[in-house]
Amino acid sequence: MAANRTFSIIKPDATRRNLTGAVTKMLEEAGLRVVAAKRIRMSREQAEQFYGVHRERPFFNDLVSFMTSGPVVVQVLEGEDAVQRNREVMGATNPANAAEGTIRKALAESIEANSVHGSDSDENAATEIAFFFRNEEIVG
Ligand code: ATP
Ligand code: MG
């Protein structure tokens, strides 16, 4: 399959513990290339919109508070089967269930503070990339 793109967030628990480089190293070792990146503080509005699909879930308010609690690093990743490859290296949502060698197994604190986000489909990847990046900010 041709190289394609996915969207990643290094979450506040990871930036707080100075793990931006550690996460990125694992992404790169998984065959993904960072073709855009910026460190931002998400607004409440941005976080609510970004996680809008979870609006009715009991953890929604806590999740929005967590995602706005500190800086995040948003990234566009490029590679063969980028969405799937990223989901594999991220590991299961709950670090207690994440496989050895995954980012969440190695670094995540809890099911909420789980260090990384990754798009779950090509369609969502395109939407999420466009939510945070202009085309000229992505340099492959
Ligand atoms: P992400 O969308 O962040 O890549 P994911 O696709 O593995 O993670 P989702 O089910 O989309 O997981 O949940 C989005 C995020 O909401 C999770 O990454 C986690 O931070 C938080 N979350 C999910 N389930 C729970 C829960 N039961 N309790 C607290 N927080 C949760
Ligand atoms: Mg998800």
Short mmCIF file of all heavy atoms in Angstrom, two decimals, residues 11 51 53-54 87 90 93 104 117-120 124 128, ligand 2:
data_model
loop_
_atom_site.label_atom_id
_atom_site.label_comp_id
_atom_site.label_asym_id
_atom_site.label_seq_id
_atom_site.Cartn_x
_atom_site.Cartn_y
_atom_site.Cartn_z
N LYS A 11 0.05 13.53 24.47
CA LYS A 11 -0.91 14.10 25.42
C LYS A 11 -0.21 14.76 26.62
O LYS A 11 0.99 14.57 26.84
CB LYS A 11 -1.87 12.99 25.89
CG LYS A 11 -2.76 12.45 24.75
CD LYS A 11 -3.77 11.44 25.27
CE LYS A 11 -4.69 10.95 24.15
NZ LYS A 11 -5.72 9.99 24.65
N TYR A 51 -12.95 15.73 20.49
CA TYR A 51 -13.47 14.50 21.07
C TYR A 51 -15.00 14.48 21.07
O TYR A 51 -15.62 13.77 21.88
CB TYR A 51 -12.93 14.31 22.49
CG TYR A 51 -11.53 13.68 22.52
CD1 TYR A 51 -10.46 14.34 23.12
CD2 TYR A 51 -11.30 12.43 21.97
CE1 TYR A 51 -9.19 13.75 23.15
CE2 TYR A 51 -10.04 11.84 21.99
CZ TYR A 51 -8.99 12.51 22.58
OH TYR A 51 -7.75 11.92 22.61
N VAL A 53 -17.17 13.02 19.39
CA VAL A 53 -17.78 11.69 19.24
C VAL A 53 -18.02 11.05 20.62
O VAL A 53 -18.89 10.18 20.77
CB VAL A 53 -16.91 10.80 18.33
CG1 VAL A 53 -15.51 10.64 18.90
CG2 VAL A 53 -17.52 9.44 18.09
N HIS A 54 -17.27 11.50 21.64
CA HIS A 54 -17.40 10.93 22.99
C HIS A 54 -18.25 11.80 23.91
O HIS A 54 -18.28 11.57 25.12
CB HIS A 54 -16.01 10.76 23.62
CG HIS A 54 -15.13 9.79 22.92
ND1 HIS A 54 -15.52 8.50 22.63
CD2 HIS A 54 -13.87 9.91 22.43
CE1 HIS A 54 -14.54 7.87 22.00
NE2 HIS A 54 -13.53 8.70 21.86
N ARG A 87 -1.58 2.86 15.28
CA ARG A 87 -2.42 2.21 16.30
C ARG A 87 -1.68 1.04 16.94
O ARG A 87 -1.80 0.79 18.14
CB ARG A 87 -3.74 1.73 15.68
CG ARG A 87 -4.64 2.84 15.12
CD ARG A 87 -5.27 3.73 16.15
NE ARG A 87 -6.18 3.04 17.02
CZ ARG A 87 -6.98 3.67 17.90
NH1 ARG A 87 -6.96 4.99 18.01
NH2 ARG A 87 -7.77 2.99 18.69
N MET A 90 0.98 2.42 19.32
CA MET A 90 0.35 3.05 20.49
C MET A 90 -0.04 2.01 21.54
O MET A 90 0.14 2.24 22.74
CB MET A 90 -0.94 3.78 20.06
CG MET A 90 -0.72 5.08 19.33
SD MET A 90 -2.24 5.58 18.49
CE MET A 90 -3.39 5.68 19.84
N THR A 93 -6.00 1.17 24.48
CA THR A 93 -6.39 2.40 25.18
C THR A 93 -6.00 2.34 26.66
O THR A 93 -5.47 3.31 27.20
CB THR A 93 -7.92 2.59 25.07
OG1 THR A 93 -8.29 2.52 23.69
CG2 THR A 93 -8.35 3.92 25.65
N ARG A 104 1.95 2.91 24.96
CA ARG A 104 1.12 2.98 26.17
C ARG A 104 1.60 2.00 27.23
O ARG A 104 1.56 2.31 28.43
CB ARG A 104 -0.35 2.77 25.80
CG ARG A 104 -0.94 4.03 25.14
CD ARG A 104 -2.26 3.78 24.49
NE ARG A 104 -2.96 5.00 24.11
CZ ARG A 104 -4.03 5.03 23.33
NH1 ARG A 104 -4.51 3.91 22.83
NH2 ARG A 104 -4.61 6.19 23.03
N HIS A 117 -2.58 10.01 21.31
CA HIS A 117 -3.77 9.80 20.49
C HIS A 117 -3.32 9.41 19.09
O HIS A 117 -2.30 9.92 18.61
CB HIS A 117 -4.62 11.07 20.38
CG HIS A 117 -5.57 11.05 19.21
ND1 HIS A 117 -6.78 10.39 19.26
CD2 HIS A 117 -5.46 11.53 17.94
CE1 HIS A 117 -7.38 10.50 18.08
NE2 HIS A 117 -6.59 11.18 17.26
N GLY A 118 -4.11 8.58 18.42
CA GLY A 118 -3.87 8.30 17.00
C GLY A 118 -5.19 8.11 16.28
O GLY A 118 -6.11 7.49 16.83
N SER A 119 -5.28 8.65 15.09
CA SER A 119 -6.52 8.50 14.29
C SER A 119 -6.86 7.03 14.12
O SER A 119 -5.97 6.18 14.03
CB SER A 119 -6.33 9.12 12.90
OG SER A 119 -5.84 10.42 13.00
N ASP A 120 -8.17 6.73 14.02
CA ASP A 120 -8.59 5.34 13.89
C ASP A 120 -9.06 4.96 12.49
O ASP A 120 -9.50 3.82 12.29
CB ASP A 120 -9.66 5.00 14.95
CG ASP A 120 -10.88 5.90 14.87
OD1 ASP A 120 -11.03 6.61 13.85
OD2 ASP A 120 -11.68 5.88 15.81
N ASN A 124 -10.92 9.76 9.34
CA ASN A 124 -10.73 10.58 10.54
C ASN A 124 -9.35 11.23 10.54
O ASN A 124 -9.20 12.36 11.03
CB ASN A 124 -10.95 9.75 11.80
CG ASN A 124 -12.42 9.49 12.06
OD1 ASN A 124 -13.29 10.20 11.55
ND2 ASN A 124 -12.71 8.46 12.83
N GLU A 128 -8.84 15.14 11.15
CA GLU A 128 -8.06 15.58 12.31
C GLU A 128 -6.84 16.39 11.88
O GLU A 128 -6.49 17.39 12.52
CB GLU A 128 -7.66 14.36 13.16
CG GLU A 128 -8.89 13.71 13.79
CD GLU A 128 -8.59 12.41 14.52
OE1 GLU A 128 -7.41 11.98 14.57
OE2 GLU A 128 -9.55 11.82 15.06
MG MG B 2 -10.09 7.13 19.52
#
